[in-house]
Amino acid sequence: MNYRTIKYVLVFMISIFFLAPGLRAEGDRKDNRTNWLGKASTYVAITSLNINNISTYFYNNGISDINALGNSGLVYPKGSGKTVAFTSGLLWGAKVPGDVDPRVGGTAYRTGLVPGKVLPNGTADVSTLDKYRVYRVRSDVYPGGPVVDLSVEVKLDGLSQDQIRTQYETDWNEWPADMGAPFEDRNHNGIYEPATDIPGVPGANQTIWFVANDLNSGATTYLYNSNPLGIECQVTIWAYNQAGALGSMYFRKYKLINVTNRPALTPTTFQDMYVSMWSDIDLGDAGDDFVGVDTTLSLQFCYNASATDAVYAPLPPPAVGFDFFQGPLVNGVAGEDINKNGIDDSQDYGIFNNQRVGPGKINLPMTAAYYFANGDPNIGDPPQGGQGTNDGYRQFYNFFKGTYGISGAPFIDPTTGKVTTFALSGDPQAGTGWLDGKDLPAGDRRQGSASGPFTMAPGDTQEVVVAEIVAGAIPGVDRLSAIGLLKFYDAQAQVAYDNFFDLPTPPPFVVDKQVTVTPLDNEIVLDWSKDENLVKATESFDSKGYKFQGYNIYQLPTASSQVSEGVRVATYDLVDGVGKISDLVFDTKTGAVIKVPVQFGNDTGIKRFISITNDAIRGGVPLVNGIKYYFAVTSYNYNPDLAAVPNNLENPITILTCVPQSQNPGVTYGDPSQGSVAVTHQGTADGYTKVNIVDPSATLGHNYEVFFTKRDEIRDANGNWVASGVSKLNKPNDLTGTSISIVGLYGPNP
């Protein structure tokens, strides 16, 4: 069975869900509302996003953040088994001429989409064609490329390393650029060429792409009892393998095309249209969640109602949110500032297809934020197709406008008495404004943020970019401080968006290829000097103003710890006067953003190995043979530009498990301090050699020679070199071109 077959989830499973709901296990499943595989597709393809501190799942019918067993699928921190989201998706709604009711499509618990493009004649292509699978690429896994550790994918996808490698290489070769998938066009010829170009979002470390459409009326009525609008939806998901903010988020881009201009369809203008990012969050335990929104950031978030969470304990619970970075593109109105950026809309610029457009164009911000709760009779779940009042489309469209779903009544901020389109817009950290918990007790929340209204004529295209961000689950960051950290991450993500995601990166440092671990008697040696080419790639790094600065070595308490839980045992940095580097960080004690030292260089000079004999986690006691210890080596860079945010970038940690041990029977390592390495001095110079064996296990019993020079560095009376092989260095007044940094003297008697 090849990887494509394995990645498909048979629709056979769906019939089981319909016929036997009573057979479901308890926990975070919500199968009475959920059919995440969809109704119309024979096969649904699934893949995981896993390149940074988040892991989650995507399906080629629009469903996301739910695993193949129907459980919460967004895990944070990656590998912990702790989840922050049950399922998420993009919804949209619009009015069309001749219809009394609005039409709603997209994805929630069910999906109104089927995989595949809409053909030029206006009909949907066959959804089960292999080319409509969900594609996934990594920038470091390509045909003929280096060996890369894919153990995370092995665990998440249930495939072998070879199968996953084959999948990555196949998707690289067959990347659907002709269908709209993005790629880095390295030779600028406009054509995707696997041997030259890089598939995926340029600069991203992992990209997922698929295309779907809403032309199947069975799927759209099954969703929320609406007819299709006539949309092709191209979805791009991408993430960055970095520490900090960008390592705790991923980005979604939805390209919506009104395909009703094609022959088989009736030309239809979508009027008063809205798009909405929706999620059933389930932050850890689903029964104690609150929702909030920061209108200045266009950020809707979920946080824990109590100090502890049953799933995340003993860690404090994190916060999770969605930010509308790019809303629909519309014409600006003279004299108004709809996006609240201080610029008249008629003079403002918008973003479309990673380019500034305008003046007179703007991207709509988040215009409404809504929430509802499991079992609440007033703001409960809108009924899906075939359920309850069968008007789920109407209830969701009311939510999109910023009103209560069932009644359509406006939101009234209880603290001001004024109408608003943003529910729960208070500040939970300050305890002010309209906060969750006043209308409903803590519980199982759903949330959505919307942007609109706008119009889509036949043939029009709109783009929506949303970031999904998680912050916290760190000792010292309580449930409310996690909101502040989430907003701090969001602000950094905004910088990335404003720069079209043309992001700086840390120096390349491939831990599994560069760092070797040598276990010795009550000692661990870490060495990253052995591959000269990889060392050069790391230490010569210079990109976008960021240059290599140094190495950090950490000890961690466990194999799954975050760097914040560890102890920095050493820093080796360039001798260049930079030393400590201060940057803006989130202070866990105050919940505020402050400037503090973040890198601790001291012009020590670069070393590429370290001998560790003491346990820094346990106060410096000696290492004990047979005990597992956990270490990590990273590289970091620095940008001296005062406007650089952040001003340094460090590789995410890859934890190395190390167990000191005595020498095996019959094996003896030489100890230079005991005279076991003989050094013979020849010549009249007063230089000397001190032997320091970094890795005794790598010694081969050979003889080695160290010398300063083996030739006579002299000139004749005419100033010419007489040393063999260097006559081209004919510079009588100095020794430029050699390793000698003194003035060269010569005379008639050399």
Side-chain angles (χ1 to χ4, degrees):
M1 182 178 292
N2 63 28
Y3 84 94
R4 295 177 184 172
T5 304
I6 296 171
K7 283 172 62 180
Y8 288 125
V9 181
L10 293 177
V11 75
F12 164 74
M13 298 173 64
I14 300 176
S15 64
I16 297 177
F17 299 146
F18 280 129
L19 297 175
L23 298 178
R24 312 259 165 66
E26 295 296 321
D28 61 0
R29 294 191 183 185
K30 302 180 180 179
D31 300 311
N32 62 322
R33 295 187 310 281
T34 308
N35 181 356
W36 69 100
L37 296 179
K39 187 176 182 181
S41 299
T42 303
Y43 291 100
V44 176
I46 177 177
T47 197
S48 64
L49 183 84
N50 50 54
I51 201 67
N52 56 24
N53 208 25
I54 290 174
S55 69
T56 189
Y57 294 93
F58 286 89
Y59 302 73
N60 63 344
N61 63 359
I63 295 287
S64 62
D65 289 348
I66 188 171
N67 67 25
L69 298 177
N71 294 322
S72 296
L74 195 154
V75 176
Y76 179 89
K78 181 176 67 180
S80 68
K82 303 178 189 299
T83 56
V84 299
F86 176 65
T87 187
S88 309
L90 188 78
L91 291 167
W92 51 78
K95 295 180 179 179
V96 299
D99 275 15
V100 175
D101 295 318
R103 299 183 186 182
V104 167
T107 300
Y109 294 112
R110 299 174 178 178
T111 181
L113 300 175
V114 295
K117 289 187 68 67
V118 178
L119 298 173
N121 65 6
T123 63
D125 204 356
V126 179
S127 64
T128 56
L129 294 177
D130 180 66
K131 68 178 180 178
Y132 296 132
R133 65 185 185 267
V134 57
Y135 293 79
R136 179 180 64 175
V137 290
R138 281 176 50 161
S139 57
D140 59 345
V141 182
Y142 50 89
V147 175
V148 175
D149 181 12
L150 301 173
S151 57
V152 173
E153 286 92 334
V154 168
K155 183 176 180 179
L156 292 173
D157 300 350
L159 306 176
S160 69
Q161 289 254 6
D162 288 343
Q163 288 171 322
I164 291 170
R165 178 84 196 200
T166 298
Q167 173 254 310
Y168 272 123
E169 293 185 359
T170 301
D171 286 352
W172 183 292
N173 285 326
E174 300 177 5
W175 188 245
D178 59 327
M179 292 194 283
F183 66 98
E184 183 179 347
D185 188 6
R186 304 187 76 183
N187 57 7
H188 307 289
N189 66 354
I191 302 172
Y192 175 67
E193 298 165 310
T196 303
D197 301 326
I198 301 176
V201 172
N205 299 109
Q206 190 175 43
T207 302
I208 291 171
W209 190 90
F210 61 90
V211 60
N213 67 83
D214 77 340
L215 297 190
N216 188 297
S217 60
T220 57
T221 55
Y222 184 64
L223 176 65
Y224 286 115
N225 203 36
S226 280
N227 286 321
L229 276 172
I231 288 177
E232 177 177 297
C233 180
Q234 299 177 13
V235 184
T236 306
I237 314 294
W238 71 98
Y240 300 92
N241 183 21
Q242 293 192 17
L246 288 175
S248 298
M249 67 182 71
Y250 67 87
F251 299 90
R252 304 165 174 254
K253 182 176 183 178
Y254 296 90
K255 177 179 284 189
L256 307 179
I257 305 171
N258 180 342
V259 296
T260 63
N261 61 326
R262 303 181 189 184
L265 300 171
T266 301
T268 304
T269 297
F270 308 152
Q271 301 171 344
D272 294 325
M273 186 169 181
Y274 294 84
V275 290
S276 176
M277 189 66 225
W278 173 92
S279 184
D280 183 345
I281 284 293
D282 289 7
L283 197 160
D285 177 30
D288 61 352
D289 293 348
F290 277 161
V291 168
V293 61
D294 186 323
T295 58
T296 62
L297 294 174
S298 286
L299 172 70
Q300 190 183 39
F301 54 87
C302 177
Y303 61 105
N304 220 59
S306 55
T308 59
D309 179 86
V311 171
Y312 271 90
L315 292 174
V320 57
F322 296 85
D323 188 315
F324 253 108
F325 281 113
Q326 179 181 320
L329 188 72
V330 299
N331 292 321
V333 179
E336 294 189 9
D337 183 15
I338 297 174
N339 55 7
K340 296 180 176 61
N341 66 350
I343 303 174
D344 187 294
D345 289 343
S346 63
Q347 302 300 315
D348 206 350
Y349 286 79
I351 294 178
F352 185 82
N353 195 30
N354 292 335
Q355 296 180 345
R356 295 179 74 221
V357 292
K361 294 285 188 180
I362 64 167
N363 296 106
L364 288 175
M366 178 176 63
T367 56
Y370 58 91
Y371 81 111
F372 49 97
N374 183 18
D376 183 81
N378 297 312
I379 51 171
D381 291 298
Q384 299 176 109
Q387 295 181 345
T389 58
N390 227 19
D391 68 341
Y393 61 90
R394 184 179 296 111
Q395 293 187 31
F396 258 118
Y397 194 76
N398 284 339
F399 278 133
F400 298 163
K401 294 187 297 180
T403 62
Y404 285 103
I406 294 175
S407 66
F411 295 144
I412 305 294
D413 186 331
T415 65
T416 64
K418 296 181 179 180
V419 173
T420 179
T421 59
F422 299 99
L424 308 176
S425 56
D427 183 346
Q429 289 184 279
T432 58
W434 186 7
L435 300 177
D436 201 351
K438 295 181 178 180
D439 300 323
L440 296 173
D444 189 1
R445 299 285 194 265
R446 297 82 159 104
Q447 66 180 61
S449 50
S451 184
F454 58 96
T455 299
M456 284 190 75
D460 279 358
T461 298
Q462 286 284 7
E463 293 179 344
V464 178
V465 177
V466 180
E468 189 164 356
I469 311 168
V470 192
I474 301 171
V477 179
D478 63 28
R479 68 182 187 97
L480 296 180
S481 295
I483 300 172
L485 182 58
L486 184 77
K487 293 180 180 181
F488 179 52
Y489 284 176
D490 184 53
Q492 294 188 50
Q494 185 68 53
V495 173
Y497 166 74
D498 291 343
N499 288 280
F500 302 108
F501 298 99
D502 184 17
L503 303 176
T505 62
F509 192 66
V510 188
V511 172
D512 61 319
K513 296 185 68 176
Q514 286 183 249
V515 183
T516 59
V517 178
T518 302
L520 301 175
D521 191 13
N522 303 117
E523 180 184 3
I524 294 294
V525 173
L526 305 177
D527 183 358
W528 54 98
S529 68
K530 295 180 180 178
D531 191 316
E532 183 178 351
N533 291 329
L534 292 177
V535 169
K536 183 178 180 180
T538 299
E539 297 180 10
S540 64
F541 181 84
D542 183 351
S543 176
K544 298 182 174 68
Y546 291 79
K547 295 182 179 181
F548 168 80
Q549 185 63 33
Y551 297 104
N552 284 323
I553 299 90
Y554 299 95
Q555 184 179 348
L556 292 306
T558 71
S560 59
S561 295
Q562 300 184 67
V563 69
S564 60
E565 302 172 68
V567 175
R568 182 179 55 86
V569 297
T571 294
Y572 303 135
D573 67 317
L574 296 174
V575 181
D576 60 359
V578 172
K580 288 184 179 179
I581 299 172
S582 295
D583 201 5
L584 294 174
V585 302
F586 178 78
D587 180 41
T588 60
K589 294 180 181 179
T590 63
V593 178
I594 60 176
K595 193 166 189 177
V596 298
V598 293
Q599 299 292 352
F600 297 87
N602 195 29
D603 281 359
T604 57
I606 296 300
K607 287 177 60 177
R608 304 180 186 95
F609 68 91
I610 185 171
S611 169
I612 302 170
T613 57
N614 297 101
D615 184 347
I617 295 293
R618 296 169 179 81
V621 299
L623 299 184
V624 178
N625 288 345
I627 300 296
K628 290 183 179 180
Y629 298 93
Y630 306 97
F631 295 94
V633 183
T634 65
S635 64
Y636 68 95
N637 57 21
Y638 174 60
N639 187 338
D641 187 345
L642 296 178
V645 180
N647 64 12
N648 71 101
L649 294 167
E650 183 175 359
N651 296 105
I653 59 172
T654 297
I655 297 179
L656 304 165
T657 301
C658 313
V659 182
Q661 63 185 38
S662 58
Q663 298 169 15
N664 293 326
V667 175
T668 301
Y669 293 147
D671 185 349
S673 65
Q674 302 300 320
S676 59
V677 178
V679 178
T680 301
H681 183 280
Q682 293 180 340
T684 59
D686 58 359
Y688 68 93
T689 298
K690 179 181 179 181
V691 178
N692 180 21
I693 298 179
V694 175
D695 183 357
S697 67
T699 58
L700 302 174
H702 295 167
N703 293 325
Y704 297 89
E705 183 179 11
V706 178
F707 58 88
F708 291 100
T709 179
K710 291 179 65 175
R711 65 190 183 209
D712 295 325
E713 304 290 4
I714 60 174
R715 299 176 186 270
D716 61 18
N718 297 320
N720 296 319
W721 287 101
V722 296
S724 174
V726 292
S727 59
K728 63 181 180 180
L729 300 176
N730 188 16
K731 299 178 179 179
N733 296 322
D734 61 43
L735 298 180
T736 302
T738 76
S739 60
I740 303 173
S741 59
I742 60 175
V743 175
L745 301 179
Y746 63 92
N749 298 311

